[in-house]
PDB file of all heavy atoms in Angstrom:
ATOM      1  N   GLY A1329      40.269-115.693  43.492  1.00  0.00           N
ATOM      2  CA  GLY A1329      40.297-116.919  42.717  1.00  0.00           C
ATOM      3  C   GLY A1329      41.382-116.922  41.658  1.00  0.00           C
ATOM      4  O   GLY A1329      41.542-117.882  40.920  1.00  0.00           O
ATOM      5  N   GLY A1330      42.137-115.828  41.574  1.00  0.00           N
ATOM      6  CA  GLY A1330      43.256-115.768  40.646  1.00  0.00           C
ATOM      7  C   GLY A1330      42.919-115.317  39.237  1.00  0.00           C
ATOM      8  O   GLY A1330      43.799-115.217  38.392  1.00  0.00           O
ATOM      9  N   SER A1331      41.652-115.049  38.969  1.00  0.00           N
ATOM     10  CA  SER A1331      41.272-114.558  37.643  1.00  0.00           C
ATOM     11  C   SER A1331      41.659-113.088  37.504  1.00  0.00           C
ATOM     12  O   SER A1331      41.849-112.381  38.491  1.00  0.00           O
ATOM     13  CB  SER A1331      39.768-114.694  37.427  1.00  0.00           C
ATOM     14  OG  SER A1331      39.379-116.028  37.486  1.00  0.00           O
ATOM     15  N   GLU A1332      41.750-112.652  36.260  1.00  0.00           N
ATOM     16  CA  GLU A1332      42.042-111.243  35.998  1.00  0.00           C
ATOM     17  C   GLU A1332      40.884-110.636  35.220  1.00  0.00           C
ATOM     18  O   GLU A1332      40.276-111.285  34.371  1.00  0.00           O
ATOM     19  CB  GLU A1332      43.325-111.092  35.184  1.00  0.00           C
ATOM     20  CG  GLU A1332      44.566-111.432  35.960  1.00  0.00           C
ATOM     21  CD  GLU A1332      45.832-111.146  35.163  1.00  0.00           C
ATOM     22  OE1 GLU A1332      45.803-111.232  33.924  1.00  0.00           O
ATOM     23  OE2 GLU A1332      46.843-110.829  35.792  1.00  0.00           O
ATOM     24  N   VAL A1333      40.588-109.371  35.537  1.00  0.00           N
ATOM     25  CA  VAL A1333      39.566-108.619  34.823  1.00  0.00           C
ATOM     26  C   VAL A1333      40.171-107.298  34.362  1.00  0.00           C
ATOM     27  O   VAL A1333      41.110-106.785  34.970  1.00  0.00           O
ATOM     28  CB  VAL A1333      38.320-108.347  35.700  1.00  0.00           C
ATOM     29  CG1 VAL A1333      37.625-109.631  36.079  1.00  0.00           C
ATOM     30  CG2 VAL A1333      38.681-107.551  36.937  1.00  0.00           C
ATOM     31  N   ILE A1334      39.628-106.766  33.282  1.00  0.00           N
ATOM     32  CA  ILE A1334      40.060-105.451  32.799  1.00  0.00           C
ATOM     33  C   ILE A1334      39.379-104.400  33.670  1.00  0.00           C
ATOM     34  O   ILE A1334      38.166-104.443  33.884  1.00  0.00           O
ATOM     35  CB  ILE A1334      39.679-105.263  31.323  1.00  0.00           C
ATOM     36  CG1 ILE A1334      40.434-106.270  30.456  1.00  0.00           C
ATOM     37  CG2 ILE A1334      39.958-103.835  30.869  1.00  0.00           C
ATOM     38  CD1 ILE A1334      40.004-106.287  29.000  1.00  0.00           C
ATOM     39  N   ASP A1335      40.166-103.458  34.174  1.00  0.00           N
ATOM     40  CA  ASP A1335      39.589-102.380  34.988  1.00  0.00           C
ATOM     41  C   ASP A1335      40.027-101.018  34.489  1.00  0.00           C
ATOM     42  O   ASP A1335      40.184-100.083  35.246  1.00  0.00           O
ATOM     43  CB  ASP A1335      39.899-102.570  36.465  1.00  0.00           C
ATOM     44  CG  ASP A1335      41.360-102.311  36.803  1.00  0.00           C
ATOM     45  OD1 ASP A1335      42.201-102.325  35.891  1.00  0.00           O
ATOM     46  OD2 ASP A1335      41.647-102.080  37.997  1.00  0.00           O
ATOM     47  N   GLY A1336      40.203-100.894  33.191  1.00  0.00           N
ATOM     48  CA  GLY A1336      40.584 -99.619  32.591  1.00  0.00           C
ATOM     49  C   GLY A1336      41.590 -99.849  31.482  1.00  0.00           C
ATOM     50  O   GLY A1336      41.949-100.992  31.170  1.00  0.00           O
ATOM     51  N   PHE A1337      42.007 -98.758  30.869  1.00  0.00           N
ATOM     52  CA  PHE A1337      42.971 -98.823  29.779  1.00  0.00           C
ATOM     53  C   PHE A1337      44.098 -97.829  30.050  1.00  0.00           C
ATOM     54  O   PHE A1337      43.845 -96.660  30.338  1.00  0.00           O
ATOM     55  CB  PHE A1337      42.301 -98.510  28.435  1.00  0.00           C
ATOM     56  CG  PHE A1337      41.473 -99.659  27.929  1.00  0.00           C
ATOM     57  CD1 PHE A1337      40.214 -99.913  28.444  1.00  0.00           C
ATOM     58  CD2 PHE A1337      41.971-100.500  26.960  1.00  0.00           C
ATOM     59  CE1 PHE A1337      39.455-100.978  27.993  1.00  0.00           C
ATOM     60  CE2 PHE A1337      41.225-101.575  26.494  1.00  0.00           C
ATOM     61  CZ  PHE A1337      39.965-101.811  27.013  1.00  0.00           C
ATOM     62  N   VAL A1338      45.343 -98.316  29.940  1.00  0.00           N
ATOM     63  CA  VAL A1338      46.529 -97.494  30.154  1.00  0.00           C
ATOM     64  C   VAL A1338      46.914 -96.855  28.824  1.00  0.00           C
ATOM     65  O   VAL A1338      47.103 -97.551  27.824  1.00  0.00           O
ATOM     66  CB  VAL A1338      47.713 -98.331  30.676  1.00  0.00           C
ATOM     67  CG1 VAL A1338      48.943 -97.452  30.883  1.00  0.00           C
ATOM     68  CG2 VAL A1338      47.345 -99.055  31.954  1.00  0.00           C
ATOM     69  N   VAL A1339      47.032 -95.541  28.822  1.00  0.00           N
ATOM     70  CA  VAL A1339      47.458 -94.822  27.625  1.00  0.00           C
ATOM     71  C   VAL A1339      48.969 -94.983  27.526  1.00  0.00           C
ATOM     72  O   VAL A1339      49.712 -94.541  28.396  1.00  0.00           O
ATOM     73  CB  VAL A1339      47.063 -93.330  27.698  1.00  0.00           C
ATOM     74  CG1 VAL A1339      47.568 -92.584  26.469  1.00  0.00           C
ATOM     75  CG2 VAL A1339      45.555 -93.181  27.855  1.00  0.00           C
ATOM     76  N   THR A1340      49.414 -95.649  26.466  1.00  0.00           N
ATOM     77  CA  THR A1340      50.840 -95.934  26.316  1.00  0.00           C
ATOM     78  C   THR A1340      51.540 -94.953  25.394  1.00  0.00           C
ATOM     79  O   THR A1340      52.761 -94.841  25.419  1.00  0.00           O
ATOM     80  CB  THR A1340      51.068 -97.354  25.780  1.00  0.00           C
ATOM     81  OG1 THR A1340      50.412 -97.486  24.514  1.00  0.00           O
ATOM     82  CG2 THR A1340      50.530 -98.392  26.758  1.00  0.00           C
ATOM     83  N   GLN A1341      50.766 -94.254  24.579  1.00  0.00           N
ATOM     84  CA  GLN A1341      51.367 -93.284  23.661  1.00  0.00           C
ATOM     85  C   GLN A1341      50.295 -92.294  23.229  1.00  0.00           C
ATOM     86  O   GLN A1341      49.163 -92.682  22.936  1.00  0.00           O
ATOM     87  CB  GLN A1341      51.932 -94.000  22.443  1.00  0.00           C
ATOM     88  CG  GLN A1341      52.644 -93.102  21.472  1.00  0.00           C
ATOM     89  CD  GLN A1341      53.188 -93.883  20.281  1.00  0.00           C
ATOM     90  OE1 GLN A1341      52.848 -95.039  20.063  1.00  0.00           O
ATOM     91  NE2 GLN A1341      54.038 -93.250  19.512  1.00  0.00           N
ATOM     92  N   VAL A1342      50.655 -91.020  23.207  1.00  0.00           N
ATOM     93  CA  VAL A1342      49.765 -89.966  22.733  1.00  0.00           C
ATOM     94  C   VAL A1342      50.485 -89.242  21.606  1.00  0.00           C
ATOM     95  O   VAL A1342      51.614 -88.774  21.785  1.00  0.00           O
ATOM     96  CB  VAL A1342      49.422 -88.965  23.867  1.00  0.00           C
ATOM     97  CG1 VAL A1342      48.585 -87.810  23.339  1.00  0.00           C
ATOM     98  CG2 VAL A1342      48.699 -89.682  25.000  1.00  0.00           C
ATOM     99  N   ARG A1343      49.835 -89.187  20.455  1.00  0.00           N
ATOM    100  CA  ARG A1343      50.439 -88.514  19.308  1.00  0.00           C
ATOM    101  C   ARG A1343      50.423 -87.002  19.541  1.00  0.00           C
ATOM    102  O   ARG A1343      49.376 -86.428  19.870  1.00  0.00           O
ATOM    103  CB  ARG A1343      49.667 -88.852  18.031  1.00  0.00           C
ATOM    104  CG  ARG A1343      50.404 -88.411  16.769  1.00  0.00           C
ATOM    105  CD  ARG A1343      49.676 -88.783  15.515  1.00  0.00           C
ATOM    106  NE  ARG A1343      48.567 -87.843  15.378  1.00  0.00           N
ATOM    107  CZ  ARG A1343      47.398 -88.120  14.853  1.00  0.00           C
ATOM    108  NH1 ARG A1343      47.134 -89.328  14.427  1.00  0.00           N
ATOM    109  NH2 ARG A1343      46.458 -87.215  14.775  1.00  0.00           N
ATOM    110  N   PRO A1344      51.591 -86.340  19.399  1.00  0.00           N
ATOM    111  CA  PRO A1344      51.635 -84.881  19.586  1.00  0.00           C
ATOM    112  C   PRO A1344      50.641 -84.185  18.657  1.00  0.00           C
ATOM    113  O   PRO A1344      50.514 -84.540  17.491  1.00  0.00           O
ATOM    114  CB  PRO A1344      53.076 -84.515  19.221  1.00  0.00           C
ATOM    115  CG  PRO A1344      53.851 -85.783  19.420  1.00  0.00           C
ATOM    116  CD  PRO A1344      52.893 -86.901  19.070  1.00  0.00           C
ATOM    117  N   SER A1345      49.924 -83.238  19.219  1.00  0.00           N
ATOM    118  CA  SER A1345      48.927 -82.421  18.504  1.00  0.00           C
ATOM    119  C   SER A1345      47.722 -83.217  18.035  1.00  0.00           C
ATOM    120  O   SER A1345      46.894 -82.705  17.285  1.00  0.00           O
ATOM    121  CB  SER A1345      49.563 -81.690  17.319  1.00  0.00           C
ATOM    122  OG  SER A1345      50.613 -80.879  17.761  1.00  0.00           O
ATOM    123  N   GLY A1346      47.590 -84.460  18.459  1.00  0.00           N
ATOM    124  CA  GLY A1346      46.441 -85.275  18.082  1.00  0.00           C
ATOM    125  C   GLY A1346      45.238 -84.974  18.965  1.00  0.00           C
ATOM    126  O   GLY A1346      45.313 -84.236  19.943  1.00  0.00           O
ATOM    127  N   ALA A1347      44.112 -85.567  18.600  1.00  0.00           N
ATOM    128  CA  ALA A1347      42.864 -85.328  19.330  1.00  0.00           C
ATOM    129  C   ALA A1347      42.973 -85.712  20.803  1.00  0.00           C
ATOM    130  O   ALA A1347      42.477 -84.995  21.669  1.00  0.00           O
ATOM    131  CB  ALA A1347      41.725 -86.094  18.670  1.00  0.00           C
ATOM    132  N   ALA A1348      43.622 -86.827  21.098  1.00  0.00           N
ATOM    133  CA  ALA A1348      43.747 -87.259  22.498  1.00  0.00           C
ATOM    134  C   ALA A1348      44.548 -86.244  23.309  1.00  0.00           C
ATOM    135  O   ALA A1348      44.181 -85.930  24.440  1.00  0.00           O
ATOM    136  CB  ALA A1348      44.397 -88.633  22.581  1.00  0.00           C
ATOM    137  N   GLU A1349      45.615 -85.716  22.734  1.00  0.00           N
ATOM    138  CA  GLU A1349      46.392 -84.690  23.441  1.00  0.00           C
ATOM    139  C   GLU A1349      45.566 -83.429  23.633  1.00  0.00           C
ATOM    140  O   GLU A1349      45.581 -82.820  24.707  1.00  0.00           O
ATOM    141  CB  GLU A1349      47.679 -84.371  22.682  1.00  0.00           C
ATOM    142  CG  GLU A1349      48.545 -83.351  23.439  1.00  0.00           C
ATOM    143  CD  GLU A1349      49.820 -83.015  22.704  1.00  0.00           C
ATOM    144  OE1 GLU A1349      49.726 -82.292  21.679  1.00  0.00           O
ATOM    145  OE2 GLU A1349      50.870 -83.465  23.158  1.00  0.00           O
ATOM    146  N   ARG A1350      44.812 -83.049  22.617  1.00  0.00           N
ATOM    147  CA  ARG A1350      43.967 -81.853  22.737  1.00  0.00           C
ATOM    148  C   ARG A1350      42.898 -82.036  23.808  1.00  0.00           C
ATOM    149  O   ARG A1350      42.449 -81.061  24.405  1.00  0.00           O
ATOM    150  CB  ARG A1350      43.331 -81.502  21.391  1.00  0.00           C
ATOM    151  CG  ARG A1350      44.340 -80.995  20.365  1.00  0.00           C
ATOM    152  CD  ARG A1350      43.681 -80.402  19.133  1.00  0.00           C
ATOM    153  NE  ARG A1350      42.767 -81.292  18.441  1.00  0.00           N
ATOM    154  CZ  ARG A1350      43.101 -82.146  17.485  1.00  0.00           C
ATOM    155  NH1 ARG A1350      44.360 -82.244  17.094  1.00  0.00           N
ATOM    156  NH2 ARG A1350      42.191 -82.906  16.913  1.00  0.00           N
ATOM    157  N   LEU A1351      42.494 -83.285  24.041  1.00  0.00           N
ATOM    158  CA  LEU A1351      41.521 -83.561  25.093  1.00  0.00           C
ATOM    159  C   LEU A1351      42.170 -83.688  26.471  1.00  0.00           C
ATOM    160  O   LEU A1351      41.493 -83.900  27.463  1.00  0.00           O
ATOM    161  CB  LEU A1351      40.735 -84.829  24.768  1.00  0.00           C
ATOM    162  CG  LEU A1351      39.779 -84.712  23.588  1.00  0.00           C
ATOM    163  CD1 LEU A1351      39.138 -86.061  23.299  1.00  0.00           C
ATOM    164  CD2 LEU A1351      38.719 -83.661  23.843  1.00  0.00           C
ATOM    165  N   GLY A1352      43.489 -83.600  26.532  1.00  0.00           N
ATOM    166  CA  GLY A1352      44.185 -83.592  27.807  1.00  0.00           C
ATOM    167  C   GLY A1352      44.754 -84.923  28.252  1.00  0.00           C
ATOM    168  O   GLY A1352      45.279 -85.029  29.361  1.00  0.00           O
ATOM    169  N   LEU A1353      44.663 -85.957  27.427  1.00  0.00           N
ATOM    170  CA  LEU A1353      45.231 -87.247  27.824  1.00  0.00           C
ATOM    171  C   LEU A1353      46.743 -87.219  27.736  1.00  0.00           C
ATOM    172  O   LEU A1353      47.310 -86.557  26.863  1.00  0.00           O
ATOM    173  CB  LEU A1353      44.690 -88.369  26.943  1.00  0.00           C
ATOM    174  CG  LEU A1353      43.234 -88.734  27.158  1.00  0.00           C
ATOM    175  CD1 LEU A1353      42.804 -89.797  26.160  1.00  0.00           C
ATOM    176  CD2 LEU A1353      42.995 -89.218  28.574  1.00  0.00           C
ATOM    177  N   ARG A1354      47.377 -87.956  28.642  1.00  0.00           N
ATOM    178  CA  ARG A1354      48.838 -88.039  28.673  1.00  0.00           C
ATOM    179  C   ARG A1354      49.260 -89.505  28.729  1.00  0.00           C
ATOM    180  O   ARG A1354      48.536 -90.350  29.243  1.00  0.00           O
ATOM    181  CB  ARG A1354      49.391 -87.355  29.925  1.00  0.00           C
ATOM    182  CG  ARG A1354      49.083 -85.899  30.030  1.00  0.00           C
ATOM    183  CD  ARG A1354      49.672 -85.356  31.311  1.00  0.00           C
ATOM    184  NE  ARG A1354      49.220 -83.993  31.542  1.00  0.00           N
ATOM    185  CZ  ARG A1354      49.388 -83.344  32.669  1.00  0.00           C
ATOM    186  NH1 ARG A1354      50.003 -83.942  33.687  1.00  0.00           N
ATOM    187  NH2 ARG A1354      48.957 -82.115  32.803  1.00  0.00           N
ATOM    188  N   THR A1355      50.454 -89.764  28.222  1.00  0.00           N
ATOM    189  CA  THR A1355      51.021 -91.100  28.332  1.00  0.00           C
ATOM    190  C   THR A1355      51.096 -91.459  29.817  1.00  0.00           C
ATOM    191  O   THR A1355      51.523 -90.658  30.638  1.00  0.00           O
ATOM    192  CB  THR A1355      52.419 -91.139  27.688  1.00  0.00           C
ATOM    193  OG1 THR A1355      52.280 -90.816  26.301  1.00  0.00           O
ATOM    194  CG2 THR A1355      53.060 -92.495  27.833  1.00  0.00           C
ATOM    195  N   GLY A1356      50.648 -92.659  30.154  1.00  0.00           N
ATOM    196  CA  GLY A1356      50.641 -93.108  31.544  1.00  0.00           C
ATOM    197  C   GLY A1356      49.284 -92.975  32.211  1.00  0.00           C
ATOM    198  O   GLY A1356      49.043 -93.597  33.257  1.00  0.00           O
ATOM    199  N   ASP A1357      48.388 -92.172  31.653  1.00  0.00           N
ATOM    200  CA  ASP A1357      47.041 -92.072  32.212  1.00  0.00           C
ATOM    201  C   ASP A1357      46.350 -93.424  32.123  1.00  0.00           C
ATOM    202  O   ASP A1357      46.576 -94.195  31.185  1.00  0.00           O
ATOM    203  CB  ASP A1357      46.188 -91.064  31.426  1.00  0.00           C
ATOM    204  CG  ASP A1357      46.534 -89.613  31.733  1.00  0.00           C
ATOM    205  OD1 ASP A1357      47.326 -89.350  32.662  1.00  0.00           O
ATOM    206  OD2 ASP A1357      45.995 -88.730  31.023  1.00  0.00           O
ATOM    207  N   VAL A1358      45.510 -93.708  33.092  1.00  0.00           N
ATOM    208  CA  VAL A1358      44.663 -94.896  33.047  1.00  0.00           C
ATOM    209  C   VAL A1358      43.227 -94.393  32.958  1.00  0.00           C
ATOM    210  O   VAL A1358      42.742 -93.725  33.867  1.00  0.00           O
ATOM    211  CB  VAL A1358      44.830 -95.783  34.300  1.00  0.00           C
ATOM    212  CG1 VAL A1358      43.922 -97.002  34.202  1.00  0.00           C
ATOM    213  CG2 VAL A1358      46.278 -96.198  34.483  1.00  0.00           C
ATOM    214  N   ILE A1359      42.572 -94.695  31.847  1.00  0.00           N
ATOM    215  CA  ILE A1359      41.177 -94.306  31.672  1.00  0.00           C
ATOM    216  C   ILE A1359      40.343 -95.374  32.370  1.00  0.00           C
ATOM    217  O   ILE A1359      40.350 -96.540  31.975  1.00  0.00           O
ATOM    218  CB  ILE A1359      40.809 -94.189  30.190  1.00  0.00           C
ATOM    219  CG1 ILE A1359      41.753 -93.217  29.487  1.00  0.00           C
ATOM    220  CG2 ILE A1359      39.354 -93.749  30.038  1.00  0.00           C
ATOM    221  CD1 ILE A1359      41.638 -93.231  27.976  1.00  0.00           C
ATOM    222  N   LEU A1360      39.659 -94.966  33.437  1.00  0.00           N
ATOM    223  CA  LEU A1360      38.914 -95.912  34.262  1.00  0.00           C
ATOM    224  C   LEU A1360      37.465 -96.066  33.825  1.00  0.00           C
ATOM    225  O   LEU A1360      36.943 -97.173  33.774  1.00  0.00           O
ATOM    226  CB  LEU A1360      38.967 -95.491  35.727  1.00  0.00           C
ATOM    227  CG  LEU A1360      40.362 -95.415  36.346  1.00  0.00           C
ATOM    228  CD1 LEU A1360      40.287 -94.793  37.732  1.00  0.00           C
ATOM    229  CD2 LEU A1360      40.991 -96.787  36.386  1.00  0.00           C
ATOM    230  N   ASP A1361      36.812 -94.933  33.566  1.00  0.00           N
ATOM    231  CA  ASP A1361      35.416 -95.019  33.147  1.00  0.00           C
ATOM    232  C   ASP A1361      35.030 -93.800  32.331  1.00  0.00           C
ATOM    233  O   ASP A1361      35.713 -92.782  32.341  1.00  0.00           O
ATOM    234  CB  ASP A1361      34.473 -95.222  34.345  1.00  0.00           C
ATOM    235  CG  ASP A1361      34.398 -94.028  35.280  1.00  0.00           C
ATOM    236  OD1 ASP A1361      34.034 -92.924  34.833  1.00  0.00           O
ATOM    237  OD2 ASP A1361      34.675 -94.206  36.481  1.00  0.00           O
ATOM    238  N   VAL A1362      33.925 -93.957  31.615  1.00  0.00           N
ATOM    239  CA  VAL A1362      33.344 -92.884  30.819  1.00  0.00           C
ATOM    240  C   VAL A1362      31.869 -92.818  31.189  1.00  0.00           C
ATOM    241  O   VAL A1362      31.165 -93.834  31.116  1.00  0.00           O
ATOM    242  CB  VAL A1362      33.516 -93.140  29.305  1.00  0.00           C
ATOM    243  CG1 VAL A1362      32.800 -92.073  28.492  1.00  0.00           C
ATOM    244  CG2 VAL A1362      34.991 -93.201  28.933  1.00  0.00           C
ATOM    245  N   ASN A1363      31.439 -91.652  31.644  1.00  0.00           N
ATOM    246  CA  ASN A1363      30.058 -91.465  32.103  1.00  0.00           C
ATOM    247  C   ASN A1363      29.652 -92.527  33.128  1.00  0.00           C
ATOM    248  O   ASN A1363      28.534 -93.033  33.117  1.00  0.00           O
ATOM    249  CB  ASN A1363      29.078 -91.449  30.925  1.00  0.00           C
ATOM    250  CG  ASN A1363      29.191 -90.171  30.124  1.00  0.00           C
ATOM    251  OD1 ASN A1363      29.778 -89.192  30.564  1.00  0.00           O
ATOM    252  ND2 ASN A1363      28.633 -90.174  28.935  1.00  0.00           N
ATOM    253  N   GLY A1364      30.590 -92.866  33.995  1.00  0.00           N
ATOM    254  CA  GLY A1364      30.313 -93.810  35.068  1.00  0.00           C
ATOM    255  C   GLY A1364      30.336 -95.268  34.659  1.00  0.00           C
ATOM    256  O   GLY A1364      30.150 -96.146  35.491  1.00  0.00           O
ATOM    257  N   GLN A1365      30.584 -95.545  33.383  1.00  0.00           N
ATOM    258  CA  GLN A1365      30.618 -96.925  32.912  1.00  0.00           C
ATOM    259  C   GLN A1365      32.071 -97.391  32.854  1.00  0.00           C
ATOM    260  O   GLN A1365      32.879 -96.833  32.118  1.00  0.00           O
ATOM    261  CB  GLN A1365      29.964 -97.026  31.541  1.00  0.00           C
ATOM    262  CG  GLN A1365      28.482 -96.659  31.603  1.00  0.00           C
ATOM    263  CD  GLN A1365      27.815 -96.780  30.264  1.00  0.00           C
ATOM    264  OE1 GLN A1365      27.949 -97.801  29.590  1.00  0.00           O
ATOM    265  NE2 GLN A1365      27.098 -95.741  29.873  1.00  0.00           N
ATOM    266  N   VAL A1366      32.386 -98.395  33.657  1.00  0.00           N
ATOM    267  CA  VAL A1366      33.742 -98.920  33.751  1.00  0.00           C
ATOM    268  C   VAL A1366      34.172 -99.476  32.397  1.00  0.00           C
ATOM    269  O   VAL A1366      33.406-100.172  31.729  1.00  0.00           O
ATOM    270  CB  VAL A1366      33.819-100.023  34.835  1.00  0.00           C
ATOM    271  CG1 VAL A1366      35.198-100.658  34.867  1.00  0.00           C
ATOM    272  CG2 VAL A1366      33.463 -99.444  36.194  1.00  0.00           C
ATOM    273  N   LEU A1367      35.384 -99.160  32.000  1.00  0.00           N
ATOM    274  CA  LEU A1367      35.925 -99.677  30.742  1.00  0.00           C
ATOM    275  C   LEU A1367      36.464-101.078  31.013  1.00  0.00           C
ATOM    276  O   LEU A1367      37.623-101.258  31.368  1.00  0.00           O
ATOM    277  CB  LEU A1367      37.014 -98.750  30.203  1.00  0.00           C
ATOM    278  CG  LEU A1367      36.552 -97.329  29.868  1.00  0.00           C
ATOM    279  CD1 LEU A1367      37.682 -96.544  29.228  1.00  0.00           C
ATOM    280  CD2 LEU A1367      35.338 -97.333  28.977  1.00  0.00           C
ATOM    281  N   ASP A1368      35.598-102.058  30.825  1.00  0.00           N
ATOM    282  CA  ASP A1368      35.938-103.434  31.163  1.00  0.00           C
ATOM    283  C   ASP A1368      36.218-104.304  29.945  1.00  0.00           C
ATOM    284  O   ASP A1368      36.326-105.516  30.052  1.00  0.00           O
ATOM    285  CB  ASP A1368      34.827-104.059  32.006  1.00  0.00           C
ATOM    286  CG  ASP A1368      33.472-104.016  31.302  1.00  0.00           C
ATOM    287  OD1 ASP A1368      33.391-103.551  30.143  1.00  0.00           O
ATOM    288  OD2 ASP A1368      32.485-104.453  31.920  1.00  0.00           O
ATOM    289  N   GLY A1369      36.351-103.692  28.784  1.00  0.00           N
ATOM    290  CA  GLY A1369      36.671-104.450  27.582  1.00  0.00           C
ATOM    291  C   GLY A1369      36.344-103.658  26.331  1.00  0.00           C
ATOM    292  O   GLY A1369      35.702-102.601  26.391  1.00  0.00           O
ATOM    293  N   MET A1370      36.798-104.162  25.197  1.00  0.00           N
ATOM    294  CA  MET A1370      36.587-103.468  23.931  1.00  0.00           C
ATOM    295  C   MET A1370      35.110-103.330  23.558  1.00  0.00           C
ATOM    296  O   MET A1370      34.724-102.304  22.992  1.00  0.00           O
ATOM    297  CB  MET A1370      37.377-104.139  22.810  1.00  0.00           C
ATOM    298  CG  MET A1370      38.858-103.785  22.837  1.00  0.00           C
ATOM    299  SD  MET A1370      39.207-101.997  22.943  1.00  0.00           S
ATOM    300  CE  MET A1370      38.513-101.413  21.418  1.00  0.00           C
ATOM    301  N   PRO A1371      34.243-104.289  23.846  1.00  0.00           N
ATOM    302  CA  PRO A1371      32.826-104.071  23.525  1.00  0.00           C
ATOM    303  C   PRO A1371      32.258-102.820  24.215  1.00  0.00           C
ATOM    304  O   PRO A1371      31.508-102.059  23.606  1.00  0.00           O
ATOM    305  CB  PRO A1371      32.139-105.347  24.014  1.00  0.00           C
ATOM    306  CG  PRO A1371      33.215-106.393  23.941  1.00  0.00           C
ATOM    307  CD  PRO A1371      34.478-105.658  24.321  1.00  0.00           C
ATOM    308  N   THR A1372      32.635-102.596  25.459  1.00  0.00           N
ATOM    309  CA  THR A1372      32.176-101.405  26.178  1.00  0.00           C
ATOM    310  C   THR A1372      32.745-100.150  25.538  1.00  0.00           C
ATOM    311  O   THR A1372      32.033 -99.164  25.335  1.00  0.00           O
ATOM    312  CB  THR A1372      32.580-101.473  27.669  1.00  0.00           C
ATOM    313  OG1 THR A1372      32.020-102.645  28.246  1.00  0.00           O
ATOM    314  CG2 THR A1372      32.114-100.244  28.434  1.00  0.00           C
ATOM    315  N   VAL A1373      34.035-100.170  25.220  1.00  0.00           N
ATOM    316  CA  VAL A1373      34.676 -99.000  24.594  1.00  0.00           C
ATOM    317  C   VAL A1373      33.993 -98.683  23.268  1.00  0.00           C
ATOM    318  O   VAL A1373      33.653 -97.526  22.991  1.00  0.00           O
ATOM    319  CB  VAL A1373      36.187 -99.248  24.389  1.00  0.00           C
ATOM    320  CG1 VAL A1373      36.818 -98.148  23.560  1.00  0.00           C
ATOM    321  CG2 VAL A1373      36.886 -99.377  25.738  1.00  0.00           C
ATOM    322  N   THR A1374      33.762 -99.689  22.451  1.00  0.00           N
ATOM    323  CA  THR A1374      33.133 -99.486  21.143  1.00  0.00           C
ATOM    324  C   THR A1374      31.728 -98.912  21.297  1.00  0.00           C
ATOM    325  O   THR A1374      31.346 -97.978  20.601  1.00  0.00           O
ATOM    326  CB  THR A1374      33.085-100.819  20.368  1.00  0.00           C
ATOM    327  OG1 THR A1374      34.421-101.313  20.236  1.00  0.00           O
ATOM    328  CG2 THR A1374      32.480-100.632  19.003  1.00  0.00           C
TER     329      THR A1374
END
């Protein structure tokens, strides 16, 4: 139908030595879900 939905979040920048880097995230990663829950918007992330 041409609509768009959020199906994850693209990591665009990781601060060197920051918590995200220590957890193994890299620039370009797409975070798809956490504990099986799809990241479909900021309310879910929060």
Side-chain angles (χ1 to χ4, degrees):
S1331 298
E1332 290 185 330
V1333 296
I1334 296 173
D1335 71 342
F1337 284 78
V1338 180
V1339 178
T1340 59
Q1341 183 180 13
V1342 176
R1343 192 178 76 213
S1345 302
E1349 183 180 73
R1350 291 191 304 272
L1351 291 176
L1353 289 176
R1354 299 179 189 169
T1355 299
D1357 284 352
V1358 180
I1359 304 169
L1360 300 172
D1361 67 59
V1362 175
N1363 288 345
Q1365 296 181 50
V1366 175
L1367 298 185
D1368 57 3
M1370 282 310 297
T1372 302
V1373 171
T1374 302

